[in-house]
Amino acid sequence: MSRPVSIPDHLLPADGRFGSGPSKVREDQVGALARAGRGLLGTSHRQAPVKDAVGRIREGLGDFLQLPEGYEILLGMGGATAFWDSAAFGLVREKAQHAAFGEFGAKFASVTDGAPFLAPSTIRTAEPGTRTQVLAEEGVDVYAWPQNETSTGVMAPVRRPDGVERAVPGSRGPLVVVDATSAAGGAAVDLQETDVYYFSPQKNFASDGGLWFGAFSPAAIERIEEISASGRWIPDFLSLHSALENSRKNQTYNTPGLAGLVMLDDQVRWLNEQGGMAWAAARTKDSSDRVYTWAEASDLATPFVTRPEDRSTVVTTVDFHDDVDAAAISAALRAHGVVDVEPYRKLGRNQLRIATFTAVEPDDVSALLACIDVVAEQL
Ligand SMILES: *Cc1c(COP(=O)(O)O)cnc(C)c1O
């Protein structure tokens, strides 16, 4: 029988939530919920209090993302996973190409690949912990990849592929569709390099799951209209045309979770007040650098992603040496209220995964690393 591991209280992070989604919610967001308790929660999503909140969120996201002329923020129900189905029905004209270098990229690829009304997708894969990229290909009308692959902690540049012209209305050119679910709100992007930049609110935006948001270019909006008018059968719930019409009225097709909207509204306001995208990206870079610097200097561990330029600034992954049991470390941390640093389940590695989302305090990351050292010494 081994002794229970103990971590002195003064070493513990002030907030022990390091999960990659759902992720830490700031106390102020919970305060905003309490304030919304009478005016908004429990009221109709077709009336001003909720629609005004959705309007503020769309506008605030536009400010944060530095929305180019003509781009629009749309939202819909079901999170990024539902968006994949919506995109297969409503964005891909004929054939998609995916760069799939982890679970999330691969899931979207399997959706378009399996759609019976589309041609089989081109899927470019890479070993976990590395990445690949899309390449210009005749006949492809959607190029897709995740900016941040949350299952492995690999980050990819957001740039139109070489040889692929920017789509403009009337050009029928291919669209670039980027899964920013765990990147948006914590990483920099130039939206001119994308036509659809979509995400769920439960990662850097520190809110609840269940919705998707996206920045859509004029060419993407035209594509939605084109496919919607083509006669293809599209379930109403997944229709991007319906999302477009509802979003422009600051509403959703069916009832959204209001608490999540309130928490998101507060987080977007906070992010913009702090300094917006540049501030958020610098903060997550600071936090993630602390993890990688620690791992590189440590006798216990090493960064999982070998190429430094591929290492995520928002979801860090650290492999432990064979004689150190990462699962025992995460269990001991959990017993002390420091939670959700387990690796992505299907990866099956002796690893910890630590989210360094914008809501996480960099000093709490340093405290976590000190706790890991203390726990490893006692194991
Ligand atoms: C979390 C995540 C998803 C899934 O988001 P849901 O809101 O649960 O559907 C998709 N892609 C990436 C990159 C993610 O991190």
Side-chain angles (χ1 to χ4, degrees):
M1 277 282 292
S2 56
R3 296 176 292 127
V5 172
S6 87
I7 307 175
D9 279 350
H10 72 271
L11 287 184
L12 291 170
D15 194 301
R17 289 171 291 179
F18 295 96
S20 296
S23 65
K24 178 186 167 187
V25 176
R26 290 177 311 106
E27 263 173 48
D28 281 355
Q29 293 172 273
V30 181
L33 257 188
R35 288 193 298 282
R38 278 175 172 267
L40 189 151
L41 298 182
T43 71
S44 168
H45 60 297
R46 306 290 183 211
Q47 297 297 329
V50 176
K51 288 174 60 154
D52 290 351
V54 173
R56 271 196 308 279
I57 291 167
R58 290 179 63 221
E59 207 175 300
L61 287 173
D63 290 344
F64 182 87
L65 293 169
Q66 298 161 21
L67 209 63
E69 182 71 31
Y71 281 56
E72 294 184 51
I73 301 284
L74 308 188
L75 69 157
M77 303 292 292
T81 302
F83 185 79
W84 295 330
D85 290 329
S86 286
F89 275 113
L91 278 181
V92 184
R93 185 188 288 133
E94 183 85 42
K95 179 181 167 82
Q97 184 191 125
H98 298 259
F101 41 90
E103 281 293 322
F104 291 103
K107 278 184 178 163
F108 184 21
S110 83
V111 169
T112 62
D113 193 42
F117 47 88
L118 300 176
S121 303
T122 299
I123 306 173
R124 301 173 49 78
T125 60
E127 285 303 302
T130 69
R131 71 172 177 84
T132 181
Q133 62 190 27
V134 297
L135 292 179
E137 178 186 344
E138 195 64 37
V140 163
D141 56 74
V142 161
Y143 292 94
W145 68 94
Q147 182 179 12
N148 187 67
E149 178 45 71
T150 318
S151 65
T152 60
V154 167
M155 219 165 204
V158 176
R159 220 174 27 225
R160 292 185 190 275
D162 288 343
V164 173
E165 295 257 314
R166 180 168 180 209
V168 292
S171 74
R172 291 180 61 86
L175 304 177
V176 167
V177 177
V178 171
D179 180 351
T181 300
S182 57
V189 68
D190 173 2
L191 288 186
Q192 305 272 13
E193 297 290 326
T194 73
D195 295 292
V196 180
Y197 187 76
Y198 66 94
F199 49 90
S200 302
Q202 75 277 18
K203 313 231 170 164
N204 280 291
F205 290 106
S207 184
D208 272 339
L211 288 172
W212 58 258
F213 287 81
F216 287 68
S217 74
I221 290 165
E222 186 188 61
R223 180 74 67 86
I224 290 171
E225 284 166 343
E226 171 202 321
I227 295 181
S228 150
S230 72
R232 179 186 291 173
W233 176 74
I234 299 176
D236 288 342
F237 181 73
L238 296 172
S239 162
L240 290 177
H241 195 256
S242 151
L244 174 67
E245 292 189 326
N246 278 296
S247 299
R248 283 174 171 167
K249 294 184 217 154
N250 293 328
Q251 57 186 26
T252 46
Y253 177 66
N254 64 323
T255 318
L258 303 188
L261 289 172
V262 171
M263 292 194 292
L264 176 58
D265 185 17
D266 190 77
Q267 181 75 352
V268 171
R269 182 191 50 74
W270 178 74
L271 287 167
N272 284 330
E273 277 174 12
Q274 298 301 307
M277 185 158 68
W279 173 83
R283 180 167 155 106
T284 59
K285 173 88 167 71
D286 175 13
S287 290
S288 57
D289 276 348
R290 294 182 193 210
V291 176
Y292 298 128
T293 306
W294 168 85
E296 281 183 327
S298 167
D299 309 327
L300 309 167
T302 176
F304 171 47
V305 178
T306 35
R307 280 185 8 136
E309 60 271 35
D310 293 347
R311 287 179 192 157
S312 170
T313 55
V314 286
V315 174
T316 66
T317 47
V318 171
D319 268 0
F320 282 76
H321 301 321
D322 288 346
D323 54 345
V324 185
D325 182 356
I329 295 179
S330 55
L333 291 169
R334 186 170 285 282
H336 289 81
V338 179
V339 300
D340 299 341
V341 295
E342 289 81 8
Y344 189 77
R345 60 199 184 301
K346 284 195 214 146
L347 210 53
R349 297 186 73 88
N350 189 34
Q351 181 177 98
L352 295 184
R353 179 177 62 156
I354 302 163
T356 50
F357 291 146
T358 316
V360 172
E361 292 295 329
D363 285 346
D364 275 350
V365 174
S366 297
L368 165 65
L369 298 170
C371 290
I372 294 173
D373 282 330
V374 164
V375 169
E377 243 168 58
Q378 296 176 57
L379 287 176

